[in-house]
Amino acid sequence: MGRAREGAGPFVVPGPAGVAVRDRLKHLTAEDERVLRAVGEHLGRLASLDLKARCADGLEHDSDRWSARKRILTAPSSSRWAGSITRATHDQWALTRRCQLAHIQKLEAGIRELRHRMSLPIGQPGSKRAPGGYRSRQEWHAKSRRLACLEARLETARADWQAGRVRAVRGGKQLLTKRHHLAESQLTEDQWRRRWEVARWFLQADGESGKRYGNETIRVTPGGEVSIKLPAPLAHLANAPHGRYVLASRVQFKHRGVEWADRVTTNRALAYRIHLDTARGRWYLTASWQRPAVRTIPLGAARIRGMIGVDTNGDHFAAYRLDAHGNPVGDPHHFFFDLTGPTSHRDAQLRHALTRLLHWARRCGVAAIAIEDLDFTAEKTREKHGRKKQFRKLISGMPTARLKARLVSMAAELGLSIVAVDPAYTSKWGAQHWQKPLTSTTRTVTRHDAASIAIGRRALGHPIRRRTAPPRIHQSDGCGHRTAQADSATQGCEEPRRHTTDRAPGRPLPGMESTRVTRRASNTVRDTRSDQGWVKGSSLLT
C-alpha cells in the first residue's frame, strides 16, 4: 500500500493587479459607425502585417527590430498607434510561445502514460492512483498507433520551439475553425464573415501617465466625451481639431466609476478598447488600468475569525463555515451555476454564484475563504481517463483559471482574502471523517459538503480528522493533548467530568435529604482512610 503524498501548505493568494470596466456606446450615428469601422479595418491590416513580421523574426528579435517595426507603422498611422500595435503584437507572440510550451508538456505526459500502460500485461487491473493495462490486444494495438502519432507531433512541436516558430491567428483559432463547421455553430457564411472581420480589427490604445486624461489616442473626458486620434490616411474624416473625431455617444461607468474618474482627473494611465458585438449590433468601450499590488494579510490573521471552506464542483459551490478551532458552524450552503450555453451566459452564471458566496461570507464575519488550488492540466489527459468520459467532461468544464482570477478580484473589493490549499484527498478524507457524523434527520451532508470542511480545516492548519489517535498511555500528560478540536492551551479542555453526586446547595438526590459531612479523599491517594458518610434523617450511613 502506497503512502499518501505530502500536500503543500496553505497560502494567501495575492490580490488583483488590474481592473477593467465596460460601458455601452449608445446613440451612435451612422457617421460614427462608419468612422469606427474604417479605423478598425485600417489598423487591423497594419496589426496583421506587424504580427507576420514578428513571427518571421523568431528568436532573433531584439529592441532594434522592435524600433524598426514601429518606424514602419508610424507613417500609415501615428507614433502612438504604432506603439500600441507593436506592444499588442509582442504580447500575442509571447502568449503563443507559452501555449506552445504547454502543448509540448501535454504531449510528453500523454506519451509517458501510454508507454506505462503498454508495458503492463493485458488485462491487469488498475488502482485509484494509476491505470492498469489495456483490456484487449485490439485496444493495445490502437494505442500503439496513437503513441506513434503523439511522438511525431512531439517531434514537430519541439523543432518549432527550438527554432522559435509560432503559429498565431489574428481573430482566434476557435473562430477560424467554425468556418468549417457552420451548421454545428448555427452560423451562416455571412454571419461568420462579419464576426471574422470584426475580430481582426484593431481599436485599442495603451494609456500614458502625465498626458491629458491618461490617454492621447482614445481620450475620454470626465464628462464621458469620447474622441479618437485618426490615423494619417483617415485624417480627412476628422470633425474636431488636431485630426480627432468626437463620437456623439457619452459613456458613464457605473461600476468603479469613482475610481475611473479619479484617474482621469489626475491624468494617470488608462487603456481603452472599442469593440463591436456582432450578435447584438452594439458598440462597447472598455477601460482598464493597473492597480498597486494589494498587500495580503498574514495567514495567521486570516485564521483568527474562522474561515469558510469551498469545494468547487461542475455545477455548484459547496461551502461550510468553520470557527477558529476547525469546528463546523451551522448548516452547509450551496451556490449553483449552469456552465452550458454561450460564453457570456457561463461567465454571468459564475459571477452571480461568486457574488452570493462572497456576500454570505461577509455576513458570517470571516476574514478569508479557503479554496482548492486546482490545476487539471496534467490530470485531464485522455490517456489516463480515456474511458471515463463523464469524469473528463466534468473536470474539463470547470473554469479553474477564470474562477480563481474572478474570485480573487471580487473578494478584494469586499475586504476578503483567499487562502489556497492543496486539493489532495480532501473529498476522500472529508467523506470518511465528516459526512456521517454531521448527517442527521434534519440535515443531509453530501460528500461535497464534507470536502469543504476538509478544505477549511486544512487552511486553518488543523488535521482533517476530527480526533487525533489516542495516547499510548492512559494519562494525556505523557503524549500531549488528545483532541484536535481545541488547542492544548484552551482552558477546561482537559478537566475531569463532574461527579454525579456533585449537586448545587439545596438540590439533594431524589428521595434523600442528604448533607455532605466531609469530602472523600481521592482513591489514588495512598495511606488514607475514608471518613465520609451520608446522613438521612437521624441515621448515619457508612
Side-chain angles (χ1 to χ4, degrees):
M1 182 176 179
R3 296 179 57 187
R5 70 174 179 87
E6 296 183 3
F11 62 93
V12 180
V13 182
V19 173
V21 293
R22 186 178 71 172
D23 191 26
R24 181 183 172 187
L25 294 173
K26 301 179 181 179
H27 311 299
L28 288 177
T29 63
E31 182 66 17
D32 293 343
E33 293 192 11
R34 189 174 71 88
V35 171
L36 291 177
R37 290 177 181 273
V39 174
E41 292 175 1
H42 177 71
L43 296 178
R45 286 192 295 269
L46 298 181
S48 298
L49 295 175
D50 186 64
L51 180 61
K52 180 181 178 180
R54 176 63 186 90
C55 293
D57 291 340
L59 299 178
E60 298 179 358
H61 182 266
D62 54 12
S63 59
D64 295 335
R65 288 293 303 161
W66 194 332
S67 301
R69 287 171 32 226
K70 185 175 179 180
R71 285 194 299 269
I72 295 174
L73 295 176
T74 300
S77 58
S78 67
S79 60
R80 288 190 172 86
W81 278 123
S84 299
I85 291 175
T86 54
R87 190 174 294 107
T89 298
H90 177 76
D91 294 341
Q92 186 172 2
W93 188 88
L95 176 62
T96 308
R97 282 284 288 181
R98 293 195 297 270
C99 294
Q100 192 178 41
L101 179 60
H103 178 60
I104 292 175
Q105 294 173 349
K106 183 178 179 180
L107 289 175
E108 292 175 345
I111 290 174
R112 285 196 303 268
E113 196 68 32
L114 282 173
R115 288 176 177 173
H116 169 70
R117 298 192 65 181
M118 292 180 65
S119 64
L120 301 176
I122 295 177
Q124 178 174 334
S127 61
K128 294 183 179 180
R129 300 179 182 177
Y134 293 109
R135 297 192 296 181
S136 63
R137 294 193 60 85
Q138 290 79 3
E139 186 177 7
W140 189 95
H141 176 68
K143 293 300 181 180
S144 66
R145 299 189 62 178
R146 175 165 175 77
L147 176 61
C149 179
L150 293 185
E151 289 176 343
R153 293 180 186 177
L154 179 60
E155 183 179 357
T156 304
R158 284 176 174 172
D160 291 342
W161 172 263
Q162 294 174 359
R165 290 190 297 268
V166 299
R167 292 169 174 82
V169 180
R170 290 203 69 250
K173 181 179 178 181
Q174 183 178 7
L175 183 58
L176 179 62
T177 307
K178 289 183 179 180
R179 176 63 181 85
H180 307 285
H181 306 279
L182 295 178
E184 298 177 4
S185 304
Q186 299 180 353
L187 295 173
T188 63
E189 186 175 351
D190 294 337
Q191 291 174 342
W192 178 88
R193 178 63 60 183
R194 287 196 296 270
R195 290 190 181 185
W196 176 251
E197 292 175 353
V198 170
R200 292 168 63 85
W201 289 354
F202 189 89
L203 271 173
Q204 62 186 46
D206 299 324
E208 192 174 358
S209 295
K211 299 299 180 179
R212 190 177 182 184
Y213 303 136
N215 197 317
E216 286 284 355
T217 310
I218 301 178
R219 181 185 297 167
V220 183
T221 65
E225 181 184 87
V226 183
S227 63
I228 303 174
K229 175 67 176 179
L230 297 177
L234 302 177
H236 62 279
L237 300 176
N239 62 358
H242 309 293
R244 305 192 70 86
Y245 186 88
V246 180
L247 301 178
S249 176
R250 295 290 187 271
V251 295
Q252 184 179 5
F253 296 104
K254 300 293 185 180
H255 182 57
R256 302 181 188 271
V258 177
E259 188 175 355
W260 169 81
D262 179 67
R263 296 188 67 90
V264 170
T265 54
T266 55
N267 297 329
R268 286 183 288 175
L270 281 163
Y272 293 105
R273 173 176 176 260
I274 300 175
H275 58 282
L276 171 64
D277 186 347
T278 55
R280 299 181 178 182
R282 298 176 178 178
W283 292 84
Y284 294 93
L285 174 68
T286 302
S288 58
W289 60 89
Q290 292 183 348
R291 303 179 64 180
V294 180
R295 295 188 59 184
T296 58
I297 64 175
L299 185 58
R303 294 170 171 173
I304 292 177
R305 291 181 286 173
M307 202 169 295
I308 289 180
V310 179
D311 180 53
T312 306
N313 303 284
D315 60 349
H316 74 283
F317 298 124
Y320 221 124
R321 179 188 175 189
L322 288 80
D323 61 14
H325 300 297
N327 303 310
V329 179
D331 295 327
H333 285 68
H334 297 159
F335 304 93
F336 291 91
F337 51 83
D338 182 15
L339 295 182
T340 60
T343 304
S344 58
H345 175 264
R346 297 196 301 267
D347 187 68
Q349 287 283 312
L350 187 63
R351 183 173 63 252
H352 294 165
L354 290 177
T355 300
R356 296 193 301 270
L357 170 64
L358 293 174
H359 286 177
W360 174 65
R362 193 176 184 181
R363 290 194 301 268
C364 292
V366 299
I369 295 176
I371 192 170
E372 294 174 307
D373 188 15
L374 296 175
D375 185 10
F376 293 121
T377 303
E379 294 297 328
K380 67 181 179 184
T381 171
R382 58 180 292 188
E383 316 308 334
K384 183 174 183 180
H385 307 291
R387 294 186 179 276
K388 302 177 182 178
K389 294 185 179 180
Q390 295 283 348
F391 182 71
R392 285 167 48 197
K393 183 178 180 180
L394 174 64
I395 62 177
S396 298
M398 291 184 183
T400 55
R402 181 173 297 180
L403 169 65
K404 288 187 289 187
R406 186 172 291 279
L407 178 59
V408 170
S409 178
M410 296 175 66
E413 297 302 317
L414 296 178
L416 298 173
S417 300
I418 303 300
V419 179
V421 302
D422 194 316
Y425 313 111
T426 53
S427 297
K428 180 179 179 181
W429 289 350
Q432 179 181 356
H433 299 291
W434 291 98
Q435 185 175 5
K436 185 176 180 180
L438 291 178
T439 302
S440 63
T441 56
T442 60
R443 178 176 57 193
T444 301
V445 177
T446 65
R447 184 182 180 91
H448 304 301
D449 300 331
S452 65
I453 298 176
I455 294 170
R457 288 182 63 85
R458 181 169 286 177
L460 289 168
H462 300 301
I464 295 179
R465 296 185 62 181
R466 291 182 296 118
R467 291 177 64 88
T468 58
R472 293 182 296 273
I473 54 180
H474 67 282
Q475 291 183 347
S476 61
D477 295 338
C479 296
H481 193 53
R482 175 170 180 167
T483 178
Q485 292 301 102
D487 189 76
S488 57
T490 304
Q491 295 182 359
C493 62
E494 289 288 345
E495 292 180 356
R497 183 178 299 176
R498 292 169 59 91
H499 294 289
T500 57
T501 56
D502 292 343
R503 294 291 188 270
R507 296 181 59 185
L509 292 173
M512 298 182 63
E513 298 178 358
S514 57
T515 304
R516 289 291 296 267
V517 178
T518 56
R519 181 177 297 275
R520 182 188 300 272
S522 174
N523 293 333
T524 60
V525 181
R526 298 180 180 179
D527 299 330
T528 59
R529 297 180 62 182
S530 175
D531 55 356
Q532 179 177 344
W534 291 96
V535 178
K536 182 179 181 181
S538 59
S539 301
L540 180 63
L541 301 179
T542 57

